[in-house]
Each structure stands twice: as C-alpha cells, then as structure tokens.
Amino acid sequence: EAGVVQSPRYKIIEKKQPVAFWCNPISGHNTLYWYRQNLGQGPELLIRYENEEAVDDSQLPKDRFSAERLKGVDSTLKIQPAELGDSAVYLCASSSGLAGSEQFFGPGTRLTVL
Amino acid sequence: RKEVEQDPGPFNVPEGATVAFNCTYSNSASQSFFWYRQDCRKEPKLLMSVYSSGNEDGRFTAQLNRASQYISLLIRDSKLSDSATYLCAVEKSGGFKTIFGAGTRLFVKA
C-alpha cells in the first residue's frame, strides 16, 4: 500500500517568492494534516481537514499561507510571499480520523528561503 | 508553559542499557497518547500508542499516569538502531487535535 506522497522533496526560493507544496494522502483516509517542523522541534499543526472541510486552521498564518483540499483527497499548501522564517520542513499526514488513530506522515518538503 | 514537554536530551547510552523518557502534558482532558520515532531527516513514525493500563512491545514499554499528567517510554537492552528522536504526542478531546513535544534525542553507542 502506498504511503503519504509529498512533492517536491526540497525547495529553495528567495524571500518574497511564492511556493506550493502538494500532498496525496493514503487512500481512504478522510483526515489530512499539514504540519511545520523547525529544527529541533516537534511538528506543529498548521491545518487539519476532514474530507474537504478545514476543521482546524487556527495555527495557519492566514496573511501569507493558504491551503485547499479539493474533492477531499489531494491537498496543496501555499505560501505567498515567503519569508526567511518560513524555512522549515513541511509535513503532510493522514489518518482514518477516528479518535486515537495513528497518523501516517509523508517524507516532507524541506523549504529553504534565502 | 508548553502543552507537551519533553526532556530534549540528548541521552547518550551504551548498547544494552535501559533508558527512560518522560513527557508531561498540561491538558487534563487529553484522551489519547502516543510515542513516535523520528530518524534524522526522516518523517515521524508511530512507535506505540499509550494506554491507561500501560503497554509493552518487545523491548519497549509505555506507561500513562493521568493523575500526574505524564507518559513514559522505557527502552530495555538498547540497540544501535534505537538511536533516533522520540516524540511524545497528545491528542486533545473534542476535536482530536494532536500536540507534539519537541522530542528527546537518543544516541546509543557501541
């Protein structure tokens, strides 16, 4: 069974440029998460989807970040414009959505903003 | 105070040693608890869920203390391959938001 797929794996951009990350969750997983992980820190939730609905986006910096999950499957996370402090690993995860269920993470996108 | 706190370590132990990590959480309404393992430059992967009665998987034992609001992970007979960062995760009730700790780094040396 295929795991969570993310692309690109690495991205280097200059500040003020836009960037987008793509995620394809495990088939059948209704819940999709986007996390940001800084060096030496744990993943921090940016947004959580239940199917196509964003049910928790309280930690998403909405002035520059946006996300969508059309048709409740694939998802895209966008940053526009990027800032130096956005350099991090962006992880996508999916789960069945049941309480106590395991989250399966993708390999992440390592973003460097110069 | 962070919602989930872990000792960052690093823990440096010889092969065969027993090592224990603790993780404290602040929200008493938390309902599910996990330990994830993260290798260097890799994604987190579930190591084990933590149940009220405690659970064991081979050399790994996890325990939950709701009264004191902490969970623990015990690794017996450490192997070189156990070297990784161990992330504590706590799922809040009524929304299932998961909060991760910053992780505890473990180095097992020959």
Side-chain angles (χ1 to χ4, degrees):
Chain A
E1 179 183 304
V4 177
V5 180
Q6 289 188 249
S7 68
R9 292 293 309 278
Y10 305 90
K11 191 73 176 179
I12 301 174
I13 60 172
E14 294 189 345
K15 63 181 181 182
K16 299 185 181 180
Q17 294 299 305
V19 65
F21 314 126
W22 175 81
C23 173
N24 180 246
I26 290 174
S27 178
H29 279 185
N30 297 326
T31 304
L32 183 146
Y33 313 78
W34 281 104
Y35 289 92
R36 176 170 58 190
Q37 186 172 27
N38 290 304
L39 190 64
Q41 299 298 314
E44 294 179 83
L45 181 70
L46 293 173
I47 189 167
R48 177 168 67 92
Y49 283 93
E50 294 289 345
N51 298 304
E52 64 274 10
E53 181 182 358
V55 295
D56 185 352
D57 63 355
S58 57
Q59 299 295 100
L60 190 72
K62 298 181 182 62
D63 57 335
R64 297 183 302 106
F65 286 64
S66 64
E68 61 181 11
R69 190 183 184 197
L70 299 176
K71 300 181 180 179
V73 181
D74 295 2
S75 178
T76 302
L77 178 69
K78 298 178 181 178
I79 309 175
Q80 183 172 11
E83 296 179 353
L84 296 177
D86 295 331
S87 295
V89 176
Y90 290 83
L91 293 162
C92 178
S94 70
S95 76
S96 64
L98 299 174
S101 59
E102 176 182 358
Q103 292 185 32
F104 294 84
F105 286 83
T109 297
R110 186 172 298 272
L111 174 67
T112 301
V113 182
L114 301 175
Chain B
R1 181 187 173 190
K2 293 183 178 180
E3 289 191 68
V4 178
E5 294 198 76
Q6 297 183 246
D7 184 340
F11 285 64
N12 292 286
V13 303
E15 274 188 294
T18 296
V19 62
F21 309 137
N22 283 333
C23 168
T24 60
Y25 60 96
S26 60
N27 190 331
S28 60
S30 299
Q31 62 179 21
S32 300
F33 308 87
F34 312 87
W35 284 102
Y36 281 79
R37 171 191 169 131
Q38 186 170 28
D39 293 304
C40 188
R41 301 180 75 87
K42 298 288 188 180
E43 70 272 23
K45 292 184 179 179
L46 182 70
L47 178 66
M48 56 199 312
S49 300
V50 188
Y51 306 118
S52 296
S53 57
N55 48 309
E56 184 174 318
D57 183 4
R59 298 181 294 107
F60 299 84
T61 300
Q63 293 194 318
L64 166 64
N65 186 317
R66 286 191 181 273
S68 300
Q69 295 183 203
Y70 76 85
I71 66 173
S72 64
L73 178 67
L74 181 76
I75 305 175
R76 292 181 298 277
D77 189 22
S78 297
K79 310 292 185 188
L80 294 175
S81 57
D82 293 334
S83 297
T85 295
Y86 291 84
L87 296 164
C88 163
V90 175
E91 186 178 275
K92 299 166 69 171
S93 61
F96 310 141
K97 181 174 181 176
T98 303
I99 308 295
F100 284 83
T104 297
R105 295 198 71 183
L106 172 65
F107 294 100
V108 181
K109 301 178 291 184

